[in-house]
Amino acid sequence: MKHVLFMLFLLFSTQLVSCTTIDQHSVVDYTQIDIQEPHQPYSDSPYKDKMVTAAINYLEKFLIDMKSGEQAKDWDHVQGYLVNFQEYDETANAWFIKSNGEAVYVPFAFIENNGTITVDGITGYSVKNMMDKATDDPDRIMFERQINDAVKQLSSSSIKWASISS
C-alpha cells in the first residue's frame, strides 16, 4: 500500500496562527491517503463461471441462428469475443467479426431463476468495416477496448470458445 502526503496551500497570505509558511504559501493542513495496490478489475468465482457458461450457451445458439440465415456465408469464418464482466453485472456483451469485416455487437441480460442462470438477448447493432475506421472513432475505440478485455474467444478456425489468459 502506498502512502501519499498532501499539503493544502493557501495562495493568499492569511493571519492564521497555526500556519507554517513555505515558499510564500501557507500550509493549512496535512492529510494522508492510502492508495490500494492495482488489482484486476474482474474477479473469478463459481457464480461467474455459471454466468460465463450461460453466456457461451446463448452465443452458440446465436451463431447457429446467424449461420442459418440469409447472410450465412458471412458467418462461416467468424471470430467472437465474450467481453469480461463482473459477477454482479446484470448485462454483458460479445463482439463478432464476420468474414466481410463487419463487427457485430451482441448485448444480453443474465436472468437467474432458482439458482439457474440463463441469458436473454438484447438488440445489438453492427458496424461495417470496423478496422477501416479511424483509430479515434468512438465505435472503434469501444470495440478495441472490449475485445482486448475479453474473457473468452472464438477463433475463426475453432468451434470452441477458449479462455484468454491475462
Side-chain angles (χ1 to χ4, degrees), residues 90-104:
E90 295 179 3
T91 62
N93 69 279
W95 280 97
F96 289 101
I97 305 167
K98 297 175 8 182
S99 59
N100 65 1
E102 185 175 5
V104 180

Side-chain angles (χ1 to χ4, degrees), residues 59-72:
L59 294 171
E60 287 176 350
K61 290 175 187 172
F62 175 86
L63 279 174
I64 290 169
D65 189 36
M66 293 297 108
K67 288 180 178 184
S68 64
E70 292 177 17
Q71 299 175 352

Side-chain angles (χ1 to χ4, degrees), residues 9-20:
F9 293 101
L10 288 178
L11 297 176
F12 304 103
S13 45
T14 63
Q15 302 259 337
L16 296 174
V17 176
S18 64
C19 290
T20 306

